[in-house]
Amino acid sequence: MEEKKTELSKKQLIIGSAVLAVIICLAVCLIVFLKRPEEPAMEAVSTQNGTVSQASIVDIMCEPSGIVAMEDGSLLITDAYDKVILQLKDGVSSIYAGGETVEDVYGQPVGGYNDSVSEESFFRSLWAIAPFLEGYAVSDPENDVVRYVDANLVQTLNGSTSEDLDMTDMGWVAFHHPTGLASDEEGNLYISDTLEGAVRRVTPEGDVTTFASELTEPMGLCWKEGVLYIAETGANRIVKVEEGQKTVVAGSGVEGMEDGPAGRASFSVPQGLTVDEQGAIYVSDTGNSAIRKIQNDEVSTLLARNVDDIESFTPVSPRGLLADGKRLYVCDTFAQKVFVISMD
């Protein structure tokens, strides 16, 4: 009888040790997940026009989607995983807006919809971010709304219209999966009303008009010197609207990855774009896992995935872009990185 008790105690000790080991392992995994490990910041990859660091500039794990520069030089980044807006300043990230919500069975925050002070607000999903009024507009496509965010509050951006547009029960203009955002020098906001195939313009006073229509799933937007550039994602091309006229900038409309003359070049599900001071257009060619460049009516590939080398550094699912001087910031949602291409 005493021997059986001894054997049972040994089994209990072994089981208890195993459980403790599992708990320690899970704790370590959680720490690793929450804090991005050190990455080889000195390693860089050459591109057609510069170099790109393999390390993310964000110090925590996230799914970066949109990015914008603040006046003080820091960056605001929308995190599609935790459903928060991050502020990156001097290499350290903090939550600018968005509160903690319940998690699904896989441990991912499910998000929600709540207008409140910054730390108590909820987003269902986060896509783009752009300056507007005294703060920032943020697209929340799964809630079918655009939110207005300043240093203290998160509010739903409401607008009225004289056009025959869908309206909410509260009498405001309704959006259908809004994604890309951009703003101009006069303070107007442009919104890709993606599932409506249109781009809406919202004035600082809240008047909503249709700026461009008959588009196929427009997403990424960029305003530059009187021109609105649009990533027409569903049509695999880049278009622009200038003085009310819509024209194709690049892309034959056929899905592919062909460089060359802009009219014959091809893209695959381009989701983001930006324009630098020299007028060069950079495109997140998301379906091709590539960054493309349009300049002088020619399309070239700046950086692309090497399908023959799985260990090589490449973008996987690029989306948000920001051209800042000689630096091009790239948000890669799948790779969970924001990397920088230093242009020569």
Side-chain angles (χ1 to χ4, degrees):
M1 185 70 175
E2 191 67 31
E3 289 181 0
K4 288 185 178 180
K5 287 183 178 180
T6 302
E7 290 179 2
L8 181 60
S9 298
K10 288 181 179 179
K11 288 181 180 179
Q12 290 173 335
L13 179 62
I14 293 172
I15 293 172
S17 299
V19 170
L20 179 61
V22 170
I23 293 173
I24 293 173
C25 181
L26 289 173
V28 171
C29 290
L30 179 62
I31 293 172
V32 170
F33 176 79
L34 292 176
K35 182 68 176 176
R36 179 180 290 279
E38 293 291 329
E39 295 186 89
M42 297 302 295
E43 293 185 11
V45 175
S46 296
T47 71
Q48 179 181 347
N49 301 103
T51 58
V52 55
S53 173
Q54 298 191 49
S56 176
I57 64 170
V58 184
D59 59 337
I60 61 173
M61 298 295 288
C62 64
E63 287 184 11
S65 178
I67 183 170
V68 68
M70 303 183 75
E71 290 185 358
D72 64 358
S74 59
L75 300 171
L76 290 181
I77 300 166
T78 56
D79 179 4
Y81 185 88
D82 283 315
K83 281 79 174 177
V84 297
I85 302 170
L86 299 174
Q87 181 178 12
L88 184 67
K89 187 174 184 178
D90 299 325
V92 179
S93 59
S94 59
I95 295 178
Y96 186 79
E100 183 177 343
T101 64
V102 298
E103 299 177 347
D104 61 18
V105 294
Y106 302 103
Q108 180 176 358
V110 299
Y113 187 4
N114 186 45
D115 288 340
S116 184
V117 294
S118 298
E119 63 272 18
E120 296 177 5
S121 60
F122 301 146
F123 303 87
R124 180 71 64 184
S125 60
L126 285 162
W127 217 90
I129 183 168
F132 186 58
L133 300 177
E134 299 299 318
Y136 300 89
V138 179
S139 51
D140 189 353
E142 289 189 26
N143 279 325
D144 286 328
V145 295
V146 175
R147 317 290 286 278
Y148 174 71
V149 180
D150 60 22
N152 302 306
L153 293 171
V154 175
Q155 307 170 65
T156 298
L157 184 64
N158 294 316
S160 58
T161 185
S162 59
E163 297 182 12
D164 184 19
L165 301 178
D166 286 350
M167 308 297 286
T168 68
D169 293 339
M170 299 297 291
W172 305 111
V173 173
F175 299 104
H176 298 276
H177 201 82
T179 54
L181 300 172
S183 54
D184 65 20
E185 302 85 354
E186 297 179 357
N188 298 306
L189 178 69
Y190 300 86
I191 303 170
S192 280
D193 201 354
T194 303
L195 296 186
E196 288 295 304
V199 174
R200 315 294 184 192
R201 177 169 59 189
V202 184
T203 68
E205 295 75 30
D207 296 324
V208 181
T209 56
T210 299
F211 188 76
S213 60
E214 298 182 355
L215 296 164
T216 306
E217 297 178 357
M219 287 192 159
L221 300 177
C222 181
W223 178 272
K224 194 70 172 181
E225 298 179 351
V227 181
L228 182 68
Y229 296 88
I230 306 169
E232 193 177 3
T233 308
N236 298 305
R237 63 183 186 177
I238 307 303
V239 301
K240 69 178 182 179
V241 178
E242 184 175 10
E243 297 182 350
Q245 298 298 313
K246 181 177 64 179
T247 57
V248 177
V249 175
S252 63
V254 176
E255 186 173 3
M257 192 175 172
E258 181 179 345
D259 288 338
R264 295 207 303 266
S266 55
F267 301 88
S268 177
V269 197
Q271 291 189 3
L273 77 171
T274 190
V275 183
D276 68 14
E277 295 302 322
Q278 288 70 47
I281 306 168
Y282 299 92
V283 179
S284 281
D285 194 0
T286 310
N288 283 321
S289 300
I291 304 300
R292 315 287 291 281
K293 181 179 180 180
I294 309 169
Q295 191 170 33
N296 300 324
D297 294 323
E298 290 282 329
V299 176
S300 59
T301 298
L302 190 64
L303 186 67
R305 178 182 58 179
N306 182 354
V307 295
D308 297 322
D309 185 1
I310 60 174
E311 295 183 357
S312 67
F313 171 78
T314 56
V316 182
S317 185
R319 181 177 291 169
L321 297 176
L322 172 65
D324 184 12
K326 292 189 176 182
R327 293 173 295 181
L328 178 65
Y329 294 92
V330 181
C331 294
D332 192 326
T333 57
F334 189 88
Q336 299 183 326
K337 290 184 176 184
V338 177
F339 57 86
V340 182
I341 300 178
S342 300
M343 310 303 292
D344 294 336

